[in-house]
Amino acid sequence: MEKPIHVLHVLGGVGLGGAESRIMDLYRQMDTEKIQFDFLVHASAVKRGFQEMRRADIDVEKRNEKTGTSVRKPQFYDEEIQAMGGHIYVLPKFKVYNYFSYRKAVKAFFAAHNEFQVVQGHMTSTAGIYLPVAKKAGVPVTVAHARNAGVVKGLKGAATKFFRRGLAKKADYCFACSALAGQDVFGGEAMKAGKVKIIHNAIDVGRFTYNEKVRQEVRSQLGISGELVLGHVGRFEYQKNHPYLLDVFAAVCKERPDARLLLLGDGEDRPAMEEKCRRLGVAGQVTFLGNRRDADRFYQAMDFFLLPSFFEGLPGVLVEAQAAGLRCIASDTVTREAKATELVTYMSIQEQAGLWAREILSQADYERRDTAEEMRKAGFDVRTQAEGYCRFYTRGQ
């Protein structure tokens, strides 16, 4: 039997993020006897060179985490990846000042591993470093994949822009989840030249399709009956703009005291948002659910989905929300390519939170419906997308 084609995905980590979730959706559709995904991630705990995480390491990591030993902490998708036969390799985090040691670690990794036919770099901040090294080491196909349309403020964002310069010329192929992301990461010249292929983030549509039975089950578990339920799924960090989201919810509560807010996700800003809920007097109406494997069930319980992000590439959560038949309001910085149905309204985050609240309340009375066929026709079903990726991985086209 022929060996499978090995595709290496380069990421910051394999936690419950948008890019990671979309890659895992794709991975589940692969025939792993023909195409196998492996992952190269980054962690502060790796001091020199690189390391491979094995199944047996997970329990060791957990024990070391309890004792305070410096290790890479287990991440959301570790066990699933390893159960499907994928390998997870770890590089030290790039800190700018460690440019030379980081590049040395990348070179050591590709010198030790010559099994990859494709390297797909979703971490575009350093793709200009690791993709040329991979190519020089003999990897037949390299791909830079733009997943976001914007950077964080400050020095970190400036450094990201600096290291992305000329990226379109450093990869064999350039993919982007939206035209906005392609423009931001690869530049106007590459876009005009047709160098960038737009591949929208796709989901398992059937998993999110509206289900009244599941809706009632989840609402019952949460102690909710006829209340108006708003929701959001995303990491607690600057990009997602949770402070504004909470201001909007507080404004909604002035008109609908029965309103509830479900927040799925985790991150370093969560404690600050919990404190803001207390200051706004809505703490008892906001449920912090953390990272969930069953996020699809919670979309069913919601009545409205909010996405006031400062920037996005093509947000998978907005696609998921539409697949669940939810009305949505997204910031006008989010690409229009994410609008697969008439359920999405775009508004500026420069507006007063009360205007968002007014719009939510004006749309609150609507009939939930099955949007699965619309989502598939719009090209957001991962099963169809997987077929295209399989052709690319096997034939490079």
Side-chain angles (χ1 to χ4, degrees), residues 187-203:
E189 186 178 327
M191 292 290 288
K192 289 177 184 176
K195 172 74 173 175
V196 183
K197 180 178 178 63
I198 306 301
I199 304 175
H200 292 155
N201 292 333
I203 64 168

Side-chain angles (χ1 to χ4, degrees), residues 14 46 53 132 138 182 386:
V14 285
V46 182
M53 304 307 300

Side-chain angles (χ1 to χ4, degrees), residues 109-110 238 355:
F109 172 78
F110 284 108
Y238 166 79
L355 291 178

Side-chain angles (χ1 to χ4, degrees), residues 276-294:
K276 176 157 186 167
C277 286
R278 289 188 283 270
R279 291 200 311 273
L280 290 171
V282 297
Q285 295 160 265
V286 180
T287 304
F288 290 81
L289 292 160
N291 290 333
R292 303 285 306 220
R293 291 188 182 276
D294 58 349

Side-chain angles (χ1 to χ4, degrees), residues 75-383:
Q75 292 187 297
F76 193 83
Y77 289 118
D78 278 20
E79 293 190 39
E80 185 178 1
I81 289 168
Q82 292 165 338
M84 288 195 289
H87 294 82
I88 302 172
Y89 303 98
V90 190
L91 284 173
K93 275 188 177 179
F94 180 68
K95 302 285 189 180
V96 180
Y97 62 78
N98 68 341
Y99 171 86
F100 293 104
S101 61
Y102 177 80
R103 193 169 187 277
K104 184 178 179 181
V106 172
K107 290 179 72 174
F109 172 78
F110 284 108
H113 293 277
N114 59 4
E115 68 267 33
F116 304 115
Q117 284 78 43
V118 181
V119 174
Q120 191 164 342
H122 309 272
M123 188 176 174
T124 56
S125 56
T126 54
I129 301 173
Y130 60 76
L131 289 181
V133 171
K135 192 68 179 180
K136 191 172 182 179
V139 174
V141 176
T142 61
V143 182
H145 199 147
R147 293 283 188 175
N148 228 329
V151 296
V152 297
K153 291 181 177 180
L155 290 175
K156 185 177 180 180
T160 295
K161 289 182 178 181
F162 176 82
F163 283 103
R164 278 178 178 170
R165 292 183 311 166
L167 181 56
K169 298 177 181 178
K170 298 176 182 177
D172 295 323
Y173 295 90
C174 296
F175 295 167
C177 63
S178 67
L180 198 62
Q183 175 78 29
D184 185 74
V185 174
F186 300 115
E189 186 178 327
M191 292 290 288
K192 289 177 184 176
K195 172 74 173 175
V196 183
K197 180 178 178 63
I198 306 301
I199 304 175
H200 292 155
N201 292 333
I203 64 168
D204 183 350
V205 169
R207 181 182 161 204
F208 293 90
T209 303
Y210 178 59
N211 185 311
E212 178 65 23
K213 181 182 177 182
V214 174
R215 173 181 170 82
Q216 296 306 325
E217 286 176 357
V218 177
R219 286 173 77 98
S220 177
Q221 291 166 8
L222 294 169
I224 296 169
S225 54
E227 295 91 333
L228 174 66
V229 180
L230 311 186
H232 173 80
V233 181
R235 297 181 306 277
F236 284 84
E237 60 177 32
Y238 166 79
Q239 175 187 344
K240 302 301 181 181
N241 199 12
H242 283 89
Y244 188 82
L245 173 62
L246 293 178
D247 287 337
V248 170
F249 178 65
V252 169
C253 289
K254 290 179 180 178
E255 299 296 326
R256 285 288 300 265
D258 67 323
R260 295 279 297 273
L261 176 63
L262 305 182
L263 296 176
L264 281 75
D266 218 331
E268 61 183 20
D269 290 347
R270 176 172 167 172
M273 295 307 100
E274 291 173 335
E275 174 57 30
K276 176 157 186 167
C277 286
R278 289 188 283 270
R279 291 200 311 273
L280 290 171
V282 297
Q285 295 160 265
V286 180
T287 304
F288 290 81
L289 292 160
N291 290 333
R292 303 285 306 220
R293 291 188 182 276
D294 58 349
D296 52 298
R297 292 175 61 82
F298 288 92
Y299 283 108
Q300 308 301 327
M302 299 173 190
D303 297 307
F304 234 98
F305 185 82
L306 305 182
L307 190 71
S309 302
F310 286 110
F311 58 87
E312 293 281 354
L314 190 146
V317 292
L318 190 57
V319 177
E320 291 171 351
Q322 291 174 85
L326 280 170
R327 285 205 174 276
C328 312
I329 297 185
S331 62
D332 60 6
T333 57
V334 174
T335 177
R336 295 328 192 251
E337 292 165 83
K339 183 174 181 175
T341 67
E342 48 75 34
L343 293 169
V344 181
T345 299
Y346 291 92
M347 293 186 69
S348 171
I349 51 177
Q350 303 304 317
E351 300 281 8
Q352 293 293 320
L355 291 178
W356 277 55
R358 194 179 307 161
E359 185 66 27
I360 291 165
L361 294 169
S362 72
Q363 295 188 37
D365 185 20
Y366 69 98
E367 185 176 348
R368 198 81 166 263
R369 61 186 178 80
D370 185 334
T371 60
E373 193 55 33
E374 283 180 79
M375 302 305 292
R376 293 189 179 102
K377 286 182 178 178
F380 287 107
D381 187 34
V382 74
R383 287 175 174 81

